[in-house]
Amino acid sequence: MPDNHEPDHHQPHHHEPDNLHLVHLLRAVTVDFGLRQAEFAARNGMHPTDVRALICLLDAARAAEPATAGLLGARLGLNSAGTTAVIDRLERLGHVARIRDEHDRRRILLRVEPAAIRLGREFFGPLIDGVLRVLDSFDPAERDTVHRFLTATHTVFASEPRP
């Protein structure tokens, strides 16, 4: 039986609508992840927005999307001056390089440098490995359900207009 100081994330609260406890648990995970991102940023002389920028650039690379300043600004919700400031900081730290697009020499692409990827793996690797171990304990149907839930939840957040 949980004590009164520790929430039991497995049991819905009786005064909450069905499944709201899952929303609270998802929020707790995102808050914990955000705290880890902030810790990574502080340890490595970065602003938390810089870490989000690196994540956006890595996501774009995985999706084979051209990583431009415009894409980064749109994903981070920054104006062009703010986007340039983030890119300049990351470039100064050696985490990002500006490179000419080989297909359109007028366009500048952003690339996360291998040293920054290694730095991220050193810090986040144990957490990612832990999550992968959790997922390995799920059968394929359960993983499919988790995937469906997270994809649909991401769609909700991505489609809601920002205040």
Side-chain angles (χ1 to χ4, degrees):
M1 181 165 143
D3 69 31
N4 292 332
H5 303 293
E6 288 295 318
D8 181 355
H9 296 295
H10 298 96
Q11 295 298 318
H13 296 103
H14 296 292
H15 61 280
E16 293 180 346
D18 287 348
N19 294 325
L20 191 56
H21 67 286
L22 292 174
V23 174
H24 293 298
L25 188 54
L26 180 62
R27 184 190 62 213
V29 170
T30 60
V31 167
D32 286 343
F33 189 63
L35 291 171
R36 295 297 179 110
Q37 286 178 295
E39 181 183 339
F40 176 79
R43 281 188 187 187
N44 292 288
M46 289 187 272
H47 187 278
T49 302
D50 299 341
V51 178
R52 288 193 298 275
L54 288 171
I55 292 167
C56 286
L57 294 174
L58 292 168
D59 288 346
R62 267 191 298 281
E65 290 179 288
T68 63
L71 174 121
L72 185 61
R75 299 253 168 99
L76 294 175
L78 297 174
N79 63 23
S80 75
T83 303
T84 299
V86 169
I87 295 167
D88 287 348
R89 278 195 309 267
L90 290 172
E91 190 175 44
R92 266 194 313 278
L93 290 167
H95 297 320
V96 167
R98 289 175 166 108
I99 55 172
R100 289 220 177 267
D101 184 339
E102 58 188 47
H103 303 293
D104 179 354
R105 302 289 296 158
R106 297 167 296 172
R107 185 162 72 162
I108 302 296
L109 299 175
L110 305 169
R111 179 187 66 215
V112 178
E113 295 288 54
I117 294 170
R118 278 193 302 277
L119 194 65
R121 275 198 194 117
E122 288 169 9
F123 185 88
F124 292 104
L127 295 169
I128 292 167
D129 290 345
V131 172
L132 289 172
R133 280 191 301 276
V134 170
L135 286 169
D136 283 344
S137 73
F138 290 15
D139 65 43
E142 289 172 317
R143 285 193 299 272
D144 182 58
T145 300
V146 171
H147 182 267
R148 233 173 5 99
F149 170 72
L150 291 174
T151 301
T153 301
H154 183 250
T155 300
V156 169
F157 278 86
S159 66
E160 265 309 298
R162 290 184 177 156

